[in-house]
Amino acid sequence: MKTKILLAEDDPDFGLILKQYLELEDFEVSWFQNPEDIVRLLPTDFPFHMGILDIMMPSIDGFSLAKMILKEKKNFPLLFLTAKNQKIDRLMGLKIGADDYIAKPCDPEELVLRIKNIIKRTRPAYSPQIKIGEYSLDTEKLLLSHHSGNIRLTIREQELLLYLLHHNGTMIKRDDILDTLWETNDYFTGRSLDVFISRLRKYFINDPAIKIQSLRGIGFEVDFPVT
């Protein structure tokens, strides 16, 4: 599965060059010259794995756009791209929640390396094949395999599992899961989340090293031996 990149760059020449180069590197790039088009996408389908945002854009600057994206899509990986190379911009980007920062004109090979590092660090679950302890997950087939048998996951079950994998070893708030995956937070979606968590625990019952622990009043903590 290709990494889907959202590119916000208002410079038509640089944006086209960047898009073409990244596509040669086997990324799938959606290029937006008008950041307002990205804002309109936020409440709907947002099928991207990470974003590259130019800071200096006329209608909505990259910092403001990043805040809008992260408000709707928590933990969305972002890399800031700008002609400036000032410390205050780097600090601002990191404070907002950017994963990296690179100044224009940038070396394309360095940019690709930074992108791959972000994906590896923040979205490891996007690999088509993921080894989880004694299990293997095929994300394209939604298939969880174990020597005792195979389990066909639903789309929602896999989405939840990938979210937990992304936050492996950390405290995960219930509210964050509900806001990200269900996009709503009420009694019924909360109960639905509990059902899905129970299913995942059952699916991984054959490997005692895998733990999905409930934290009363907070959320969950997971321990997945991922290789």
Side-chain angles (χ1 to χ4, degrees):
M1 180 168 54
K2 289 186 178 182
T3 298
K4 298 179 181 179
I5 296 178
L6 178 152
L7 172 61
E9 170 59 66
D10 65 312
D11 184 318
D13 295 326
F14 184 73
L16 180 60
I17 292 172
L18 197 56
K19 173 179 168 64
Q20 291 176 341
Y21 184 85
L22 292 177
E23 288 176 340
L24 287 174
E25 293 292 323
D26 207 32
F27 295 110
E28 184 177 326
V29 182
S30 297
W31 173 32
F32 297 85
Q33 292 180 259
N34 184 357
E36 293 177 353
D37 293 335
I38 298 174
V39 175
R40 283 191 282 269
L41 276 180
L42 284 173
T44 60
D45 185 31
F46 204 73
F48 309 109
H49 298 149
M50 69 165 292
I52 301 175
L53 310 182
D54 183 20
I55 289 179
M56 301 300 292
M57 292 186 290
S59 57
I60 303 175
D61 66 84
F63 292 142
S64 298
L65 179 60
K67 291 178 182 178
M68 295 178 191
I69 291 174
L70 293 174
K71 182 179 180 181
E72 294 287 336
K73 312 295 177 182
K74 292 180 175 61
N75 303 312
F76 185 72
L78 291 172
L79 182 150
F80 279 125
L81 185 67
T82 180
K84 291 184 177 181
N85 192 20
Q86 298 178 3
K87 181 178 180 180
I88 189 171
D89 282 341
R90 295 197 298 273
L91 293 176
M92 176 65 76
L94 294 173
K95 183 177 180 180
I96 290 173
D99 293 273
D100 208 344
Y101 182 107
I102 190 168
K104 296 190 294 185
C106 58
D107 179 73
E109 293 182 1
E110 180 185 357
L111 177 61
V112 169
L113 180 61
R114 288 174 181 264
I115 291 172
K116 289 181 177 179
N117 284 339
I118 289 174
I119 295 299
K120 182 179 180 180
R121 183 172 68 248
T122 65
R123 314 294 283 191
Y126 283 132
S127 171
Q129 298 285 340
I130 306 170
K131 190 75 169 63
I132 311 172
E134 298 177 5
Y135 292 79
S136 177
L137 174 64
D138 186 326
T139 60
E140 294 181 343
K141 296 180 180 180
L142 283 78
L143 190 66
L144 187 63
S145 302
H146 187 264
H147 60 78
S148 62
N150 298 330
I151 301 169
R152 183 77 63 178
L153 301 178
T154 67
I155 293 176
R156 178 65 79 194
E157 286 171 345
Q158 178 165 285
E159 286 177 344
L160 176 58
L161 176 55
L162 292 179
Y163 188 94
L164 297 178
L165 283 168
H166 174 47
H167 296 83
N168 191 19
T170 67
M171 183 185 71
I172 310 169
K173 294 181 180 179
R174 289 177 60 88
D175 290 348
D176 289 345
I177 298 176
L178 292 170
D179 290 340
T180 301
L181 299 184
W182 273 264
E183 297 185 351
T184 185
N185 188 346
D186 56 30
Y187 173 80
F188 298 103
T189 54
R191 294 301 299 159
S192 179
L193 171 59
D194 291 335
V195 170
F196 279 98
I197 289 291
S198 296
R199 287 182 190 171
L200 292 182
R201 287 195 182 110
K202 182 179 179 181
Y203 296 160
F204 287 109
I205 197 170
N206 292 308
D207 187 347
I210 296 174
K211 295 180 175 59
I212 304 175
Q213 180 180 358
S214 295
L215 303 176
R216 187 175 179 85
I218 301 174
F220 308 94
E221 188 171 37
V222 297
D223 185 5
F224 290 111
V226 180
T227 58

